[in-house]
């Protein structure tokens, strides 16, 4: 009887655990759906449509690699082709399929975690993995990056099944073949995924062999290779049969120049990542030692655990605090969230639902008090930038954990946690694949789908830790902090990739009359961009027209169902198309001009990619820019413009039936070719090399005068960088000679960064024709504090009198008196299509025509403020008020987020006056 009762109790316990696993599995899917629907139907960008355009080419019978350029292996084409066909031409359905793919990833990881981790903890780890996985400024609900995460999750699943059946040969080798099939699919998905998986899982198999976990390792490898050959043979047969195999090998594996050298891709970025996180690594080492000492159940070792924990905390605090003011906000927000989670966790009634409850509380708070709270937390990406930092540290954690765990288990002769080893190597492969393809140092958050659940498993696989309520509450407090940050980003600015920032959740009030976009919400400006420009394109084309978008605009082709090409490369974006193909594409387009050109103006994007991927050398896309610049005025007519999107029609004798131009003075800056080759500057008597990393330094009056005289004698500093390092008082100079003269043709064409330091008491008295700190400026000036100037001339501007379409004045301040016989502008007089961005003028003006910011209307003025503002003229900017400093810093962060240039200095108020900080 007692035995029967005992069995009954065991069965009830098992049933209860199964129910918990199912409950949290369902809850996980619901939470992922809820979180994604914050933005998934409100975020559509000009950079979409690539996959759909490739699909259109396939429908025409064209073969990839042979008939059109494709930089990725073919599985991406097949995956997108199937999903798009099942979407019936609607992007919103396409998003739903991608969301289903996302849910599949987190559910696979959840299944792997609940083998040793409580369902509630597995739920937390996998849900936050989904949150982190979408924590990028370019997440659109899924793409080939997400597909590679799915394949890593699947290969982790098959490898664990292989280990579980290692003593049953038939099942073991069946799972080896399954692992090989997924490995073959990886080979057909993305190059970094192939390399990362070979390195990580190859090392793992060597470990399994050395540790004698699998004594028949070579037979295992044989079956893995056998499985891999299945998809590879199918793809190879298709490519060989269509005479595309050689083109495939060259475009995908030999011509890798679009991402940099092979050494840089495989080794350079990961070594730099480790080097740049040395204090974080030391913190991790001590924390791991503390962790293992604590779970050892030995009081002496627990004392050591406390000591190592303190050391880890010291190094970790230094690492975090060294990131600047952002760290203080992170810590403050973390403490608030931890207090809330602590209260709930320590209360038995709410203990098990503490994390989901606080997540819901945050979500409700952001909905009830939306804009202010979300913008306060998000802080225009400042806190959000900590997400990849966290995931990069977790990636490094896997390296340390694997080495430590294997070595200590070997020394102690203990059983290895093969389940943990596989999950750790899966997390390692996930992060390593994104490091290879990332232009910057560190992992891309899209790896969070695998990386964070794997991290959660390794932390909580020990029951001592699972049952330590203080450890659990601290863990949950940190996650709630980051959830608030990520959620705020999705509400405030879910997407801001290269010149295409998406308005906030609350601005999405419109729908558009385009079939493919049914189900999406747009801002009023976005409605114009898609609906009006699409109408203009449709009225001025027919089925035989060629619509060409640069550098990546293909959405209008999809709307018009037009897949015609005059070239070979469908998408010429800077890190997608290799140089030799871009150069050849320019020749093809010169011979066969497209009927419609859609040019998205993204100043700085091309230069940034040159700096990241070419070490500052020109990209092949410069030839495309050069071609269009040479024919734009002669052969094309502007028929459409909204924001930074310009539509041109070929002058082919056919009438223009409709136009829509939002702003006639808008300038398409990047369609004007400027020779990017840095000027060879010999014998410059300034400290530094003139590069972005080692600029020429301006530290005194003498340095500034030397710089001015060099420009005025013919040195343009084209492609060179200068940086001011101290305040400079010009009161001893009675009549400043401006830098660059319109009449002589000697102009500054480089980048001058004032770094927030002052240039004071500049005086020009004799009435220069073009008077200002600069007389004629072609390049970029940023972070300049021009204080108490007194300038007289014919055409006067504080920073510069004259400019050109390439001129950019960013984050500058001018105070003082300006008097122009003709015109006077607080920042500049006439930039001829150039831009003044995020600047302030607090000035006294005299002249026939005066404006607080720009003296002449042919200047693009964005987020500028002056004491002359009257709420009417854009050239006066906005009125200076108490919240101007916040508006300036908010906008500055948005510019930083687009990564168009080095970080700009912050604004602050000193004695009631605005100033650019030099801190």
């Amino acid at each position: 009887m007692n035995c029967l009762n005992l069995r009954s109790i065991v069965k009830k316990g098992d049933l209860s655990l199964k129910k918990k696993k199912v409950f949290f599995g369902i809850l996980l899917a619901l939470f992922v759906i809820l979180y994604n629907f914050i933005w998934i139907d409100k975020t559509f960008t000009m950079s979409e449509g690539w996959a759909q355009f490739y699909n259109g080419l396939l429908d025409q019978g064209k073969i990839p690699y042979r008939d059109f350029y494709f930089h990725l292996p073919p599985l991406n084409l097949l995956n997108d082709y199937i999903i798009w066909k099942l979407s019936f031409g609607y992007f919103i359905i396409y998003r739903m399929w991608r969301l289903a793919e996302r849910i599949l990833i987190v559910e696979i990881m959840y299944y792997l975690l609940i083998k040793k981790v409580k369902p509630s903890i597995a739920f937390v780890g996998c849900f936050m993995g989904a949150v982190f996985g979408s924590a990028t400024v370019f997440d659109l609900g899924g793409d080939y990056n997400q597909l590679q995460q799915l394949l890593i999750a699947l290969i982790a699943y098959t490898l664990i099944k292989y280990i579980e059946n290692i003593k049953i040969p038939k099942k073991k080798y069946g799972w080896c073949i399954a692992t090989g099939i997924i490995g073959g699919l990886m080979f057909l998905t993305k190059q970094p995924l192939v390399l990362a998986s070979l390195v990580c899982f190859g090392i793992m198999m060597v470990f399994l062999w050395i540790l004698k976990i699998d004594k028949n390792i070579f037979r295992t490898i044989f079956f893995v290779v056998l499985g891999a050959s299945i998809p590879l043979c199918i793809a190879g047969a298709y490519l060989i049969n269509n005479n595309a195999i050689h083109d495939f090998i060259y475009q995908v594996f030999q011509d890798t120049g679009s991402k940099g050298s092979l050494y840089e891709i495989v080794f350079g970025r990961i070594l730099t990542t480790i080097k740049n996180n040395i204090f974080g690594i030391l913190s991790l080492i001590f924390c791991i030692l503390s962790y293992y000492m604590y779970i050892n159940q030995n009081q002496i070792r627990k004392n050591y655990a406390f000591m190592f924990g303190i050391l880890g905390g010291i190094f970790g605090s230094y690492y975090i605090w060294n990131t600047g003011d952002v760290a203080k906000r992170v810590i403050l927000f973390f403490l608030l969230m931890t207090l809330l989670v602590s209260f709930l966790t320590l209360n038995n009634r709410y203990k098990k639902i503490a994390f989901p409850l606080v997540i819901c509380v945050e979500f409700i708070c952001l909905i009830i008090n939306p804009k202010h709270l979300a913008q306060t937390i998000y802080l225009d990406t400042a806190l959000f930038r900590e997400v990849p930092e966290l995931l990069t540290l977790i990636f490094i954690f896997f390296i340390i954990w694997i080495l430590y765990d294997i070595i200590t288990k070997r020394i102690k002769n203990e059983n290895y946690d093969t389940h943990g080893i596989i999950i750790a190597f899966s997390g390692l492969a996930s992060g390593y694949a994104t490091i290879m393809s990332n232009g910057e140092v560190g992992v891309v958050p899209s790896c969070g789908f695998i990386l964070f659940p794997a991290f959660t498993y390794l932390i909580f696989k020990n029951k001592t830790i699972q049952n330590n309520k203080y450890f659990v509450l601290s863990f949950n407090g940190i996650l709630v902090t980051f959830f608030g940050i990520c959620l705020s980003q999705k509400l405030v600015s879910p997407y801001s990739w290269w010149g295409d920032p998406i308005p906030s959740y609350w601005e999405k009030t419109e729908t558009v009359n385009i079939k493919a976009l049914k189900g999406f919400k747009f801002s009023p400006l976005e409605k114009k961009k898609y609906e009006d420009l699409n109408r203009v394109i449709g009225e001025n084309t027919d089925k035989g027209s060629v619509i060409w978008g640069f550098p990546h605009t293909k959405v209008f082709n999809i709307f018009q169902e037009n897949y015609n090409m005059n070239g070979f490369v469908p998408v010429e974006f800077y890190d997608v198309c290799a140089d030799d193909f871009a150069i050849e594409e320019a020749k093809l387009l010169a011979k066969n001009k497209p009927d419609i050109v859609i040019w998205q103006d993204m100043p700085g994007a091309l230069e940034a990619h040159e700096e990241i991927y070419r070490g500052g050398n020109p990209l092949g896309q410069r030839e495309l820019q050069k071609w269009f610049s040479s024919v734009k005025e002669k052969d094309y007519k502007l028929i459409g413009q909204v924001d930074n999107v310009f539509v041109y029609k070929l002058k082919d004798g056919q009438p223009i039936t409709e136009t829509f131009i939002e702003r006639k003075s808008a300038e398409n800056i990047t369609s004007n070719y400027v020779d990017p080759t840095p000027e060879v500057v010999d014998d410059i008597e300034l400290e530094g090399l003139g590069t972005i990393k080692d600029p020429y330094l301006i530290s005194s009056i003498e340095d500034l005068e030397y710089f001015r005289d060099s420009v005025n004698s013919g040195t343009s500093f084209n492609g060179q960088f200068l940086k001011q390092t101290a305040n400079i008082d010009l009161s001893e100079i009675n009549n400043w000679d401006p830098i660059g003269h319109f009449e002589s043709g000697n102009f500054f064409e480089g980048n001058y960064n004032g770094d927030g330091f002052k240039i004071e008491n500049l005086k020009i008295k004799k009435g220069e024709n073009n008077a200002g700190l600069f007389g004629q400026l072609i390049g970029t000036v940023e972070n300049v504090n021009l204080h108490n100037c007194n300038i007289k001339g014919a055409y006067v501007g504080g920073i510069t009198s004259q400019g050109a379409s390439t001129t950019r004045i960013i984050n500058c301040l001018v105070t003082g008196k300006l008097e122009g016989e003709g015109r006077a502008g607080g920042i500049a007089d006439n930039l001829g299509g150039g831009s003044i961005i995020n600047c302030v003028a607090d000035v006294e003006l005299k002249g026939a025509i005066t404006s607080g910011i720009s003296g002449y209307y042919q200047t693009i003025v964005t987020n500028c403020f002056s004491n002359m503002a009257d709420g009417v003229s854009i050239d006066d900017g906005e009125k200076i008020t108490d919240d101007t400093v916040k508006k300036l810093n908010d906008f500055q962060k948005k510019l930083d987020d687009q990564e168009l240039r080095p970080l700009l200095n912050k604004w602050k108020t000193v004695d009631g006056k605005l100033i650019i900080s030099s801190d």
Side-chain angles (χ1 to χ4, degrees), residues 745-761:
N746 295 328
F747 318 130
F748 174 64
E749 300 180 27
N751 179 294
Y752 186 96
N753 181 3
D755 201 26
F757 290 101
K758 295 179 183 178
I759 296 177
E760 300 179 275
N761 303 314

Side-chain angles (χ1 to χ4, degrees), residues 850-854 864-866 868-870 873-878:
T850 62
S851 294
I853 301 298
S854 171
C864 292
F865 303 83
S866 81
M868 306 294 293
D870 57 8
S873 173
I874 192 174
D875 295 315
D876 284 320
E878 299 179 39

Side-chain angles (χ1 to χ4, degrees), residues 498-499 600-607 644 667-670 808 835 837 898-901:
W498 295 119
Q600 189 169 10
D601 188 37
M602 300 187 294
L606 190 149
E607 291 82 1
N644 66 339
E667 177 74 13
N668 187 356
I669 297 171
T670 55
R808 305 182 78 207
S835 299
I837 303 169
Q898 294 175 24
E899 302 178 39
L900 303 184
R901 77 207 63 73

Side-chain angles (χ1 to χ4, degrees), residues 820-838:
E821 296 171 14
R823 294 186 301 266
I827 301 296
D829 171 39
N830 176 21
L831 296 191
S835 299
I836 302 176
I837 303 169
N838 217 50

Side-chain angles (χ1 to χ4, degrees), residues 143-160:
D143 56 11
Y144 57 79
N145 292 300
Q146 183 169 291
L147 177 60
Q148 76 177 16
Q149 297 300 307
L150 174 60
L151 291 173
I152 292 174
L154 287 171
I155 209 166
Y157 175 84
T158 59
L159 284 169
I160 284 174

Side-chain angles (χ1 to χ4, degrees), residues 236-260:
Y238 169 80
L239 294 170
I240 291 170
N241 186 56
N242 289 285
N243 297 318
I245 188 69
H246 294 296
D247 296 313
F248 160 71
I249 293 171
Y250 180 72
Q251 291 174 33
V252 175
F253 293 106
Q254 290 182 306
D255 196 18
T256 60
S258 64
K259 291 290 186 182

Side-chain angles (χ1 to χ4, degrees), residues 709-720:
D709 295 341
S710 297
V711 172
N712 292 345
S713 62
T715 302
S716 71
F717 289 89
N718 179 28
Q720 303 290 314

